[in-house]
Coordinates of all heavy atoms in Angstrom, one line a residue:
M1 N -265.1 33.7 -145.2 CA -263.9 34.1 -145.7 C -263.0 32.9 -146.0 O -262.8 32.0 -145.3 CB -263.2 35.0 -144.7 CG -262.2 36.0 -145.4 SD -261.4 37.1 -144.2 CE -260.2 36.2 -143.5
T2 N -262.4 33.0 -147.2 CA -261.5 31.9 -147.5 C -260.0 32.2 -147.1 O -259.6 33.3 -147.2 CB -261.5 31.6 -149.0 OG1 -261.2 32.8 -149.7 CG2 -262.8 31.0 -149.5
T3 N -259.3 31.2 -146.7 CA -257.9 31.4 -146.3 C -257.1 31.1 -147.5 O -257.3 30.1 -148.3 CB -257.5 30.5 -145.1 OG1 -257.9 29.2 -145.4 CG2 -258.1 31.0 -143.9
I4 N -256.1 31.9 -147.7 CA -255.2 31.8 -148.9 C -253.9 31.0 -148.4 O -253.3 31.5 -147.4 CB -254.8 33.1 -149.5 CG1 -256.1 33.8 -150.0 CG2 -253.8 33.0 -150.6 CD1 -256.0 35.3 -150.2
P5 N -253.6 29.9 -149.0 CA -252.4 29.2 -148.5 C -251.1 30.1 -148.7 O -251.0 30.8 -149.7 CB -252.3 28.0 -149.4 CG -253.3 28.2 -150.5 CD -254.2 29.3 -150.1
R6 N -250.3 30.1 -147.7 CA -249.1 31.0 -147.7 C -247.9 30.3 -148.4 O -246.9 31.0 -148.6 CB -248.7 31.4 -146.3 CG -249.6 32.4 -145.7 CD -249.2 32.6 -144.3 NE -250.2 33.4 -143.6 CZ -250.0 34.6 -143.1 NH1 -248.9 35.1 -143.1 NH2 -251.0 35.2 -142.5
V7 N -248.1 29.0 -148.6 CA -246.9 28.3 -149.1 C -246.8 28.6 -150.6 O -247.8 28.4 -151.4 CB -247.0 26.8 -148.9 CG1 -245.8 26.0 -149.3 CG2 -247.3 26.6 -147.4
K8 N -245.7 29.0 -151.1 CA -245.5 29.3 -152.5 C -245.2 27.9 -153.2 O -244.5 27.1 -152.7 CB -244.2 30.1 -152.7 CG -244.4 31.6 -152.8 CD -243.2 32.2 -153.5 CE -242.7 33.3 -152.7 NZ -241.3 33.7 -153.0
P9 N -245.8 27.7 -154.3 CA -245.6 26.4 -155.0 C -244.1 26.4 -155.4 O -243.5 27.4 -155.9 CB -246.4 26.5 -156.3 CG -246.9 27.9 -156.4 CD -246.7 28.6 -155.1
E10 N -243.5 25.2 -155.1 CA -242.0 25.1 -155.4 C -241.8 24.8 -156.9 O -242.5 24.0 -157.4 CB -241.4 24.0 -154.6 CG -240.8 24.4 -153.3 CD -240.2 23.3 -152.6 OE1 -239.2 22.7 -153.1 OE2 -240.7 22.9 -151.5
L11 N -240.9 25.5 -157.4 CA -240.5 25.1 -158.8 C -239.4 24.2 -158.8 O -238.3 24.6 -158.4 CB -240.2 26.4 -159.6 CG -239.9 26.3 -161.1 CD1 -241.2 25.8 -161.8 CD2 -239.5 27.6 -161.6
K12 N -239.6 22.9 -159.1 CA -238.5 22.0 -159.1 C -238.0 21.6 -160.5 O -238.6 20.9 -161.2 CB -239.0 20.7 -158.4 CG -238.9 20.8 -156.9 CD -238.9 19.5 -156.2 CE -238.8 19.7 -154.7 NZ -239.3 18.5 -153.9
V13 N -236.9 22.2 -160.8 CA -236.3 21.9 -162.1 C -235.0 21.3 -161.8 O -234.0 21.9 -161.3 CB -236.0 23.2 -162.9 CG1 -235.4 22.9 -164.3 CG2 -237.4 24.0 -163.1
E14 N -234.9 20.0 -162.0 CA -233.7 19.2 -161.7 C -232.8 19.2 -162.9 O -233.2 19.0 -164.0 CB -234.1 17.8 -161.3 CG -235.1 17.8 -160.1 CD -234.7 17.0 -158.9 OE1 -233.9 16.1 -159.1 OE2 -235.1 17.4 -157.8
R15 N -231.5 19.4 -162.6 CA -230.5 19.3 -163.6 C -230.3 17.8 -164.0 O -230.3 16.9 -163.2 CB -229.2 19.7 -163.0 CG -228.4 20.8 -163.8 CD -227.1 21.0 -163.1 NE -227.2 21.8 -161.9 CZ -226.9 23.0 -161.8 NH1 -226.4 23.6 -162.9 NH2 -227.1 23.7 -160.7
P16 N -230.3 17.5 -165.3 CA -230.1 16.1 -165.7 C -228.7 15.6 -165.2 O -227.7 16.4 -165.2 CB -230.1 16.1 -167.2 CG -229.9 17.5 -167.6 CD -230.3 18.4 -166.5
K17 N -228.7 14.4 -164.7 CA -227.5 13.8 -164.1 C -226.4 13.6 -165.3 O -226.8 13.2 -166.4 CB -227.8 12.5 -163.5 CG -226.7 12.0 -162.6 CD -227.1 10.6 -162.0 CE -227.3 10.7 -160.5 NZ -227.7 9.4 -159.9
L18 N -225.2 14.0 -165.0 CA -224.2 13.8 -166.0 C -223.6 12.4 -166.0 O -223.6 11.8 -164.9 CB -223.1 14.9 -165.9 CG -223.6 16.3 -166.2 CD1 -222.5 17.3 -165.9 CD2 -224.1 16.5 -167.6
H19 N -223.0 12.0 -167.1 CA -222.4 10.7 -167.1 C -221.0 10.7 -167.6 O -220.7 11.5 -168.5 CB -223.2 9.8 -168.1 CG -224.6 9.4 -167.5 ND1 -225.0 8.1 -167.3 CD2 -225.6 10.1 -167.1 CE1 -226.2 8.1 -166.8 NE2 -226.6 9.3 -166.6
K20 N -220.2 9.9 -167.0 CA -218.8 9.8 -167.3 C -218.6 8.9 -168.5 O -219.2 7.8 -168.5 CB -217.9 9.3 -166.2 CG -217.9 10.3 -165.0 CD -217.0 9.8 -163.9 CE -217.7 8.8 -163.0 NZ -217.0 8.6 -161.7
V21 N -217.7 9.2 -169.4 CA -217.2 8.3 -170.4 C -215.8 7.8 -169.9 O -215.0 8.6 -169.6 CB -217.0 8.9 -171.8 CG1 -216.5 7.9 -172.8 CG2 -218.4 9.5 -172.3
L22 N -215.7 6.4 -169.8 CA -214.5 5.8 -169.3 C -213.8 5.1 -170.4 O -214.4 4.3 -171.2 CB -214.8 4.9 -168.1 CG -215.6 5.5 -167.0 CD1 -216.0 4.4 -166.0 CD2 -214.7 6.5 -166.2
L23 N -212.5 5.2 -170.4 CA -211.6 4.5 -171.3 C -211.0 3.3 -170.5 O -210.5 3.5 -169.4 CB -210.5 5.4 -171.8 CG -209.3 4.7 -172.6 CD1 -209.8 4.0 -173.9 CD2 -208.2 5.7 -172.9
V24 N -211.2 2.1 -171.0 CA -210.8 0.9 -170.3 C -209.5 0.3 -171.0 O -209.5 0.2 -172.2 CB -211.9 -0.2 -170.3 CG1 -211.5 -1.4 -169.6 CG2 -213.2 0.4 -169.8
N25 N -208.5 0.0 -170.2 CA -207.3 -0.6 -170.8 C -207.5 -2.0 -171.3 O -208.4 -2.7 -170.8 CB -206.2 -0.6 -169.7 CG -204.8 -1.0 -170.2 OD1 -204.5 -0.6 -171.4 ND2 -204.1 -1.8 -169.5
D26 N -206.7 -2.4 -172.2 CA -206.6 -3.8 -172.7 C -205.1 -4.0 -173.1 O -204.4 -3.1 -173.2 CB -207.6 -4.1 -173.8 CG -207.2 -3.3 -175.1 OD1 -206.3 -3.7 -175.8 OD2 -207.9 -2.3 -175.4
D27 N -204.8 -5.3 -173.4 CA -203.4 -5.6 -173.7 C -203.1 -5.6 -175.2 O -202.0 -5.9 -175.6 CB -203.1 -7.0 -173.2 CG -203.0 -7.0 -171.7 OD1 -202.8 -6.0 -171.1 OD2 -203.2 -8.1 -171.1
F28 N -204.1 -5.3 -176.1 CA -204.0 -5.5 -177.5 C -204.0 -4.2 -178.3 O -203.3 -4.2 -179.4 CB -205.0 -6.5 -178.0 CG -205.0 -7.8 -177.3 CD1 -205.9 -8.1 -176.2 CD2 -204.0 -8.8 -177.6 CE1 -205.8 -9.3 -175.5 CE2 -204.0 -10.0 -176.9 CZ -204.9 -10.2 -175.9
T29 N -204.8 -3.3 -178.0 CA -205.0 -2.1 -178.8 C -203.7 -1.3 -178.8 O -203.2 -1.0 -177.7 CB -206.2 -1.2 -178.3 OG1 -207.3 -2.0 -178.2 CG2 -206.4 -0.1 -179.3
P30 N -203.1 -0.9 -179.9 CA -201.9 -0.1 -179.9 C -202.1 1.3 -179.3 O -203.1 1.9 -179.5 CB -201.5 0.0 -181.4 CG -202.3 -1.1 -182.1 CD -203.5 -1.3 -181.3
R31 N -201.1 1.7 -178.5 CA -201.2 3.0 -177.9 C -201.5 4.1 -178.9 O -202.4 5.0 -178.6 CB -199.9 3.4 -177.2 CG -199.6 2.4 -176.0 CD -198.3 2.9 -175.4 NE -197.8 1.9 -174.4 CZ -196.9 2.2 -173.5 NH1 -196.3 3.3 -173.5 NH2 -196.5 1.3 -172.6
A32 N -200.9 4.1 -180.0 CA -201.1 5.2 -181.0 C -202.5 5.2 -181.5 O -203.1 6.3 -181.8 CB -200.1 5.0 -182.2
F33 N -203.1 4.0 -181.6 CA -204.5 3.9 -182.1 C -205.4 4.5 -181.1 O -206.4 5.2 -181.4 CB -204.9 2.5 -182.4 CG -206.3 2.4 -183.0 CD1 -206.5 2.8 -184.3 CD2 -207.3 2.0 -182.2 CE1 -207.8 2.8 -184.9 CE2 -208.6 2.0 -182.8 CZ -208.8 2.3 -184.1
V34 N -205.2 4.2 -179.8 CA -206.0 4.8 -178.7 C -206.0 6.3 -178.8 O -207.0 7.0 -178.7 CB -205.6 4.3 -177.3 CG1 -206.4 4.9 -176.2 CG2 -205.6 2.8 -177.2
V35 N -204.8 6.9 -179.0 CA -204.6 8.3 -179.1 C -205.4 8.9 -180.3 O -206.1 9.9 -180.2 CB -203.1 8.7 -179.2 CG1 -202.9 10.1 -179.5 CG2 -202.4 8.3 -177.8
T36 N -205.3 8.2 -181.4 CA -206.1 8.6 -182.6 C -207.6 8.7 -182.3 O -208.2 9.6 -182.7 CB -205.8 7.6 -183.8 OG1 -204.4 7.6 -184.0 CG2 -206.5 8.0 -185.0
V37 N -208.1 7.6 -181.6 CA -209.5 7.6 -181.3 C -209.9 8.7 -180.4 O -210.9 9.4 -180.6 CB -209.9 6.2 -180.7 CG1 -211.4 6.3 -180.2 CG2 -209.7 5.1 -181.7
L38 N -209.1 9.0 -179.4 CA -209.4 10.1 -178.4 C -209.4 11.4 -179.1 O -210.2 12.3 -178.9 CB -208.3 10.1 -177.3 CG -208.4 8.9 -176.3 CD1 -207.2 8.9 -175.4 CD2 -209.7 9.0 -175.5
R39 N -208.4 11.6 -180.0 CA -208.4 12.9 -180.8 C -209.6 13.0 -181.7 O -210.2 14.1 -181.8 CB -207.1 12.9 -181.6 CG -205.8 12.9 -180.7 CD -204.6 13.3 -181.5 NE -204.8 14.7 -181.9 CZ -203.8 15.4 -182.4 NH1 -202.6 14.9 -182.7 NH2 -204.0 16.7 -182.8
A40 N -209.9 12.0 -182.4 CA -211.0 12.0 -183.4 C -212.4 12.2 -182.7 O -213.2 13.0 -183.1 CB -211.0 10.8 -184.2
E41 N -212.6 11.4 -181.7 CA -214.0 11.3 -181.1 C -214.2 12.3 -180.0 O -215.3 12.8 -179.7 CB -214.2 9.9 -180.6 CG -215.7 9.5 -180.4 CD -216.5 9.7 -181.7 OE1 -216.1 9.3 -182.8 OE2 -217.6 10.4 -181.6
F42 N -213.1 12.7 -179.3 CA -213.3 13.6 -178.1 C -212.6 14.9 -178.3 O -212.4 15.7 -177.3 CB -212.8 12.9 -176.8 CG -213.7 11.6 -176.5 CD1 -213.3 10.4 -177.0 CD2 -214.9 11.7 -175.9 CE1 -214.0 9.3 -176.7 CE2 -215.7 10.6 -175.6 CZ -215.2 9.4 -176.0
R43 N -212.1 15.1 -179.5 CA -211.5 16.4 -179.9 C -210.4 16.8 -178.9 O -210.3 18.0 -178.5 CB -212.5 17.5 -179.9 CG -213.6 17.2 -180.9 CD -214.6 18.4 -181.0 NE -215.7 18.2 -181.8 CZ -216.5 19.1 -182.2 NH1 -216.3 20.4 -181.7 NH2 -217.6 18.9 -182.9
M44 N -209.6 15.9 -178.6 CA -208.4 16.2 -177.7 C -207.2 16.6 -178.5 O -207.0 16.1 -179.6 CB -208.0 15.0 -176.8 CG -209.0 14.7 -175.7 SD -208.4 13.3 -174.8 CE -209.9 13.0 -173.8
G45 N -206.3 17.4 -177.9 CA -205.1 17.6 -178.6 C -204.2 16.4 -178.3 O -204.5 15.5 -177.5
D46 N -203.0 16.4 -178.9 CA -202.1 15.2 -178.8 C -201.7 15.0 -177.4 O -201.7 13.9 -176.9 CB -200.9 15.4 -179.8 CG -200.2 14.1 -179.9 OD1 -200.7 13.0 -180.2 OD2 -199.0 14.1 -179.5
G47 N -201.3 16.1 -176.7 CA -200.8 15.9 -175.3 C -201.8 15.4 -174.4 O -201.5 14.4 -173.6
Q48 N -203.0 15.9 -174.5 CA -204.1 15.5 -173.6 C -204.4 14.0 -173.9 O -204.6 13.2 -173.0 CB -205.3 16.4 -173.9 CG -206.6 15.9 -173.1 CD -206.6 16.5 -171.7 OE1 -205.9 17.4 -171.4 NE2 -207.4 15.9 -170.9
A49 N -204.5 13.7 -175.2 CA -204.9 12.3 -175.6 C -203.8 11.3 -175.1 O -204.1 10.2 -174.6 CB -205.0 12.2 -177.1
Q50 N -202.5 11.7 -175.2 CA -201.4 10.8 -174.7 C -201.6 10.6 -173.2 O -201.4 9.5 -172.7 CB -200.1 11.5 -175.0 CG -199.7 11.7 -176.4 CD -199.1 10.4 -177.0 OE1 -198.9 9.4 -176.4 NE2 -198.9 10.4 -178.3
R51 N -201.9 11.7 -172.5 CA -202.0 11.6 -171.0 C -203.2 10.7 -170.6 O -203.0 9.9 -169.7 CB -202.1 13.0 -170.4 CG -200.8 13.7 -170.3 CD -200.9 15.0 -169.5 NE -201.8 16.0 -170.1 CZ -201.4 16.9 -171.0 NH1 -200.2 16.9 -171.4 NH2 -202.2 17.8 -171.4
V52 N -204.3 10.8 -171.3 CA -205.5 10.0 -170.9 C -205.2 8.6 -171.3 O -205.5 7.7 -170.5 CB -206.7 10.5 -171.7 CG1 -207.9 9.6 -171.7 CG2 -207.1 11.9 -171.2
M53 N -204.6 8.3 -172.4 CA -204.2 6.9 -172.8 C -203.3 6.3 -171.8 O -203.5 5.2 -171.4 CB -203.6 6.9 -174.2 CG -203.2 5.6 -174.8 SD -201.6 5.0 -174.2 CE -200.5 6.2 -174.9
M54 N -202.3 7.0 -171.4 CA -201.3 6.5 -170.4 C -201.9 6.3 -169.1 O -201.5 5.3 -168.4 CB -200.1 7.4 -170.3 CG -199.1 7.3 -171.4 SD -198.6 5.6 -171.8 CE -197.6 5.2 -170.3
T55 N -202.9 7.1 -168.7 CA -203.5 6.9 -167.4 C -204.3 5.6 -167.4 O -204.3 4.8 -166.5 CB -204.4 8.1 -167.0 OG1 -203.6 9.3 -167.0 CG2 -205.1 7.9 -165.7
A56 N -205.1 5.4 -168.5 CA -205.8 4.1 -168.6 C -204.9 2.9 -168.7 O -205.1 1.9 -168.0 CB -206.7 4.2 -169.9
H57 N -203.8 3.1 -169.4 CA -202.8 2.0 -169.5 C -202.2 1.6 -168.2 O -202.1 0.5 -167.9 CB -201.7 2.5 -170.5 CG -200.6 1.5 -170.6 ND1 -200.7 0.4 -171.4 CD2 -199.3 1.6 -170.2 CE1 -199.5 -0.3 -171.4 NE2 -198.7 0.4 -170.6
Q58 N -201.9 2.6 -167.3 CA -201.3 2.4 -166.0 C -202.3 2.0 -164.9 O -202.0 1.2 -164.0 CB -200.5 3.6 -165.6 CG -199.2 3.7 -166.5 CD -198.6 5.1 -166.3 OE1 -199.1 6.0 -165.8 NE2 -197.3 5.2 -166.9
R59 N -203.5 2.6 -165.0 CA -204.4 2.4 -163.8 C -205.6 1.5 -164.2 O -206.4 1.2 -163.3 CB -205.0 3.8 -163.4 CG -203.9 4.7 -162.9 CD -204.6 5.9 -162.2 NE -203.6 6.9 -161.8 CZ -203.9 8.0 -161.1 NH1 -205.1 8.2 -160.9 NH2 -203.0 8.8 -160.8
G60 N -205.7 1.2 -165.5 CA -206.8 0.3 -165.9 C -208.0 1.0 -166.5 O -208.7 0.5 -167.3
V61 N -208.2 2.3 -166.1 CA -209.3 3.1 -166.6 C -209.0 4.6 -166.4 O -208.2 5.0 -165.6 CB -210.6 2.6 -165.8 CG1 -210.5 3.0 -164.3 CG2 -211.8 3.2 -166.4
C62 N -209.6 5.4 -167.3 CA -209.5 6.8 -167.2 C -210.7 7.5 -167.6 O -211.4 7.1 -168.6 CB -208.3 7.3 -168.0 SG -208.0 9.1 -167.8
V63 N -211.1 8.6 -166.9 CA -212.3 9.4 -167.3 C -211.9 10.2 -168.5 O -210.9 10.9 -168.5 CB -212.8 10.3 -166.2 CG1 -213.9 11.2 -166.7 CG2 -213.2 9.5 -165.0
V64 N -212.7 10.1 -169.6 CA -212.4 10.8 -170.8 C -213.2 12.1 -171.0 O -212.7 13.1 -171.5 CB -212.7 9.9 -172.0 CG1 -212.6 10.6 -173.3 CG2 -211.8 8.7 -172.0
A65 N -214.5 12.0 -170.5 CA -215.4 13.2 -170.7 C -216.5 13.0 -169.7 O -216.8 11.9 -169.2 CB -215.9 13.2 -172.1
V66 N -217.2 14.1 -169.4 CA -218.4 14.1 -168.6 C -219.5 14.9 -169.4 O -219.4 16.0 -169.7 CB -218.2 14.8 -167.2 CG1 -219.4 14.8 -166.4 CG2 -217.1 14.1 -166.5
L67 N -220.6 14.1 -169.7 CA -221.6 14.6 -170.7 C -223.0 14.2 -170.2 O -223.1 13.5 -169.3 CB -221.3 14.0 -172.1 CG -219.9 14.2 -172.7 CD1 -219.6 13.2 -173.8 CD2 -219.7 15.7 -173.2
T68 N -224.0 14.7 -170.9 CA -225.3 14.2 -170.7 C -225.3 12.7 -171.0 O -224.5 12.2 -171.8 CB -226.4 14.9 -171.6 OG1 -226.1 14.7 -172.9 CG2 -226.4 16.4 -171.3
R69 N -226.3 12.0 -170.5 CA -226.3 10.5 -170.7 C -226.3 10.2 -172.2 O -225.6 9.3 -172.6 CB -227.5 9.9 -170.0 CG -227.6 8.4 -170.1 CD -228.6 7.7 -169.3 NE -230.0 8.1 -169.6 CZ -230.7 7.5 -170.6 NH1 -230.1 6.5 -171.3 NH2 -231.9 7.9 -170.9
E70 N -227.2 10.9 -172.9 CA -227.3 10.5 -174.3 C -226.0 10.7 -175.1 O -225.6 9.9 -175.9 CB -228.4 11.4 -175.0 CG -229.0 10.8 -176.2 CD -230.2 11.6 -176.8 OE1 -230.5 12.7 -176.2 OE2 -230.8 11.1 -177.7
L71 N -225.4 11.9 -174.9 CA -224.1 12.2 -175.6 C -223.0 11.2 -175.1 O -222.2 10.8 -176.0 CB -223.7 13.6 -175.3 CG -223.9 14.7 -176.4 CD1 -223.4 16.0 -175.9 CD2 -223.2 14.2 -177.6
A72 N -223.0 11.0 -173.8 CA -221.9 10.1 -173.3 C -222.1 8.7 -174.0 O -221.1 8.1 -174.4 CB -222.0 9.9 -171.8
E73 N -223.3 8.2 -174.1 CA -223.5 6.9 -174.7 C -223.2 6.9 -176.2 O -222.5 5.9 -176.7 CB -224.9 6.4 -174.4 CG -225.1 5.9 -173.0 CD -226.6 5.6 -172.6 OE1 -227.5 5.8 -173.5 OE2 -226.8 5.3 -171.4
E74 N -223.6 7.9 -176.8 CA -223.3 8.1 -178.3 C -221.8 8.0 -178.5 O -221.3 7.3 -179.4 CB -223.8 9.4 -178.7 CG -224.9 9.4 -179.8 CD -225.4 10.8 -180.1 OE1 -224.6 11.6 -180.5 OE2 -226.6 11.0 -179.8
K75 N -221.0 8.8 -177.7 CA -219.6 9.0 -177.9 C -218.9 7.6 -177.6 O -218.0 7.2 -178.3 CB -219.0 10.1 -177.0 CG -219.5 11.4 -177.4 CD -218.4 12.1 -178.3 CE -218.8 13.4 -178.8 NZ -218.0 13.9 -179.9
A76 N -219.3 7.0 -176.5 CA -218.7 5.7 -176.1 C -218.9 4.7 -177.1 O -218.0 3.9 -177.5 CB -219.3 5.3 -174.7
T77 N -220.1 4.6 -177.7 CA -220.4 3.6 -178.7 C -219.6 3.9 -180.0 O -219.0 3.0 -180.6 CB -221.9 3.7 -179.1 OG1 -222.6 3.4 -177.9 CG2 -222.3 2.6 -180.1
A78 N -219.5 5.2 -180.4 CA -218.8 5.5 -181.6 C -217.3 5.2 -181.5 O -216.6 4.7 -182.4 CB -219.0 7.0 -182.0
A79 N -216.7 5.6 -180.3 CA -215.3 5.4 -180.1 C -215.0 3.9 -180.0 O -214.0 3.4 -180.6 CB -214.9 6.1 -178.8
T80 N -215.8 3.1 -179.3 CA -215.6 1.6 -179.3 C -215.7 1.0 -180.7 O -214.9 0.1 -181.0 CB -216.7 1.0 -178.3 OG1 -216.6 1.6 -177.0 CG2 -216.6 -0.5 -178.2
E81 N -216.6 1.5 -181.5 CA -216.8 1.0 -182.8 C -215.6 1.3 -183.7 O -215.3 0.5 -184.6 CB -218.1 1.7 -183.4 CG -218.5 1.3 -184.8 CD -219.0 -0.2 -184.8 OE1 -219.2 -0.8 -183.7 OE2 -219.1 -0.7 -185.9
M82 N -214.9 2.4 -183.5 CA -213.7 2.7 -184.3 C -212.7 1.6 -184.0 O -212.0 1.2 -185.0 CB -213.1 4.0 -183.8 CG -213.7 5.3 -184.5 SD -212.8 6.8 -184.0 CE -211.3 6.7 -185.0
G83 N -212.5 1.1 -182.8 CA -211.6 0.0 -182.5 C -212.1 -1.3 -183.1 O -211.3 -2.0 -183.7
R84 N -213.4 -1.6 -182.9 CA -213.9 -2.8 -183.4 C -213.7 -3.0 -184.9 O -213.4 -4.1 -185.4 CB -215.4 -2.9 -183.1 CG -216.0 -4.3 -183.0 CD -217.5 -4.3 -183.1 NE -218.0 -3.6 -184.3 CZ -218.1 -4.2 -185.5 NH1 -217.8 -5.4 -185.7 NH2 -218.5 -3.5 -186.6
K85 N -213.9 -1.9 -185.7 CA -213.7 -1.9 -187.1 C -212.3 -2.3 -187.5 O -212.1 -2.8 -188.6 CB -214.0 -0.5 -187.7 CG -215.5 -0.3 -187.9 CD -215.7 1.0 -188.6 CE -217.2 1.3 -188.7 NZ -217.4 2.8 -188.8
Q86 N -211.3 -2.0 -186.6 CA -209.9 -2.4 -186.9 C -209.6 -3.7 -186.2 O -208.4 -4.1 -186.2 CB -209.0 -1.3 -186.4 CG -209.2 0.1 -186.9 CD -209.0 0.1 -188.4 OE1 -208.1 -0.4 -189.0 NE2 -209.9 0.8 -189.1
G87 N -210.5 -4.4 -185.6 CA -210.3 -5.7 -184.9 C -209.7 -5.5 -183.5 O -209.2 -6.5 -183.0
Y88 N -209.8 -4.4 -182.9 CA -209.2 -4.2 -181.6 C -210.4 -4.2 -180.5 O -211.5 -3.8 -180.8 CB -208.6 -2.8 -181.4 CG -207.4 -2.7 -182.4 CD1 -207.2 -1.5 -183.2 CD2 -206.4 -3.6 -182.4 CE1 -206.1 -1.4 -184.0 CE2 -205.3 -3.5 -183.2 CZ -205.2 -2.4 -184.0 OH -204.1 -2.2 -184.9
P89 N -210.0 -4.7 -179.3 CA -211.0 -4.8 -178.2 C -211.2 -3.5 -177.4 O -211.7 -3.6 -176.3 CB -210.4 -5.9 -177.3 CG -208.9 -5.8 -177.5 CD -208.7 -5.3 -178.9
L90 N -210.7 -2.4 -178.0 CA -210.8 -1.1 -177.3 C -212.2 -0.9 -176.8 O -213.2 -1.1 -177.5 CB -210.4 0.0 -178.3 CG -210.4 1.4 -177.7 CD1 -209.3 1.6 -176.7 CD2 -210.1 2.4 -178.9
L91 N -212.3 -0.5 -175.5 CA -213.6 -0.3 -174.9 C -213.8 1.0 -174.2 O -213.0 1.4 -173.4 CB -213.9 -1.5 -173.9 CG -215.2 -1.4 -173.1 CD1 -216.4 -1.6 -174.1 CD2 -215.2 -2.5 -172.1
F92 N -214.9 1.7 -174.5 CA -215.3 2.9 -173.8 C -216.7 2.6 -173.1 O -217.5 2.0 -173.8 CB -215.5 4.1 -174.7 CG -214.2 4.6 -175.3 CD1 -213.6 4.0 -176.4 CD2 -213.6 5.7 -174.8 CE1 -212.4 4.5 -176.9 CE2 -212.4 6.2 -175.3 CZ -211.8 5.6 -176.4
T93 N -216.8 2.9 -171.8 CA -218.1 2.6 -171.1 C -218.6 3.9 -170.5 O -217.9 4.9 -170.6 CB -217.9 1.6 -170.0 OG1 -216.9 2.1 -169.1 CG2 -217.4 0.3 -170.5
T94 N -219.8 3.9 -170.0 CA -220.3 5.1 -169.4 C -220.8 4.7 -168.0 O -221.2 3.6 -167.7 CB -221.5 5.7 -170.1 OG1 -222.6 4.8 -170.1 CG2 -221.1 6.0 -171.6
E95 N -220.8 5.7 -167.1 CA -221.5 5.5 -165.8 C -221.9 6.9 -165.2 O -221.3 7.9 -165.5 CB -220.5 4.8 -164.8 CG -219.4 5.6 -164.3 CD -218.6 4.9 -163.2 OE1 -218.4 3.7 -163.3 OE2 -218.1 5.6 -162.3
P96 N -223.1 6.9 -164.5 CA -223.6 8.1 -164.0 C -222.7 8.7 -162.9 O -222.0 8.0 -162.2 CB -224.9 7.8 -163.4 CG -224.9 6.3 -163.2 CD -223.9 5.7 -164.2
E97 N -222.6 10.0 -162.9 CA -221.8 10.7 -161.9 C -222.5 10.6 -160.5 O -223.8 10.6 -160.5 CB -221.7 12.2 -162.2 CG -220.4 12.6 -162.8 CD -220.1 14.1 -162.7 OE1 -221.1 14.8 -162.6 OE2 -219.0 14.5 -162.8
E98 N -221.8 10.6 -159.4 CA -222.4 10.5 -158.1 C -223.4 11.6 -157.9 O -223.0 12.8 -158.2 CB -221.4 10.5 -157.0 CG -220.1 9.7 -157.2 CD -219.2 10.2 -158.2 OE1 -218.9 11.5 -158.2 OE2 -218.7 9.4 -159.1
Ligands
TYC101 N1 -202.3 -1.3 -173.0 C1 -202.2 -1.0 -174.5 C2 -200.9 -1.4 -174.9 O1 -199.9 -1.6 -174.2 C3 -202.5 0.4 -174.8 C4 -203.8 0.9 -174.3 C5 -203.9 2.0 -173.5 C6 -205.0 0.2 -174.7 C7 -205.2 2.4 -173.0 C8 -206.2 0.6 -174.2 O2 -207.5 2.1 -172.9 C9 -206.3 1.7 -173.4 N2 -200.7 -1.6 -176.2

């Protein structure tokens, strides 16, 4: 007689780790331009964009969005590129969530 294992195979479906998009402060990019980029690339309203910009301005950095790694990197690159095209050092970076 054969014994049937009682252990059910585990179905392991892991959620992909989400990544933060961070806005980094600098001394050169105009505040209004940062707000324009946040509105265009992250679809924020004016109030939200102003608050995020001011948080980065005062604290050095602010979380802008939490997305899949691919989307976070795409958005950070596109937003950084908007600044670069105008000659500004505006920087968006990404980091994995804990
Ligand atoms: N510190 C900039 C200034 O005073 C404005 C600014 C805010 C730039 C946030 C970047 O991520 C930033 N003109």
Side-chain angles (χ1 to χ4, degrees):
M1 202 175 83
T2 53
T3 50
I4 297 158
R6 285 175 194 241
V7 184
K8 267 202 233 160
E10 265 182 66
L11 185 64
K12 278 200 175 158
V13 181
E14 307 233 330
R15 232 186 282 257
K17 198 180 246 180
L18 293 176
H19 289 238
K20 294 184 274 194
V21 178
L22 304 170
L23 168 64
V24 182
N25 186 39
D26 67 72
D27 292 337
F28 303 100
T29 310
R31 294 181 187 194
F33 184 77
V34 179
V35 169
T36 300
V37 172
L38 289 170
R39 298 195 63 173
E41 200 57 46
F42 298 94
R43 301 182 183 191
M44 286 182 192
D46 190 56
Q48 176 84 18
Q50 295 278 353
R51 285 190 291 276
V52 167
M53 180 279 294
M54 280 311 290
T55 301
H57 177 74
Q58 289 166 347
R59 298 191 184 183
V61 64
C62 183
V63 177
V64 172
V66 179
L67 304 162
T68 60
R69 182 169 65 82
E70 201 174 7
L71 256 180
E73 284 172 1
E74 242 175 63
K75 291 263 175 197
T77 303
T80 299
E81 187 63 12
M82 276 184 78
R84 202 196 58 80
K85 279 186 183 153
Q86 303 298 318
Y88 296 131
L90 182 64
L91 178 64
F92 290 81
T93 61
T94 65
E95 70 175 37
E97 259 198 339
E98 316 72 47

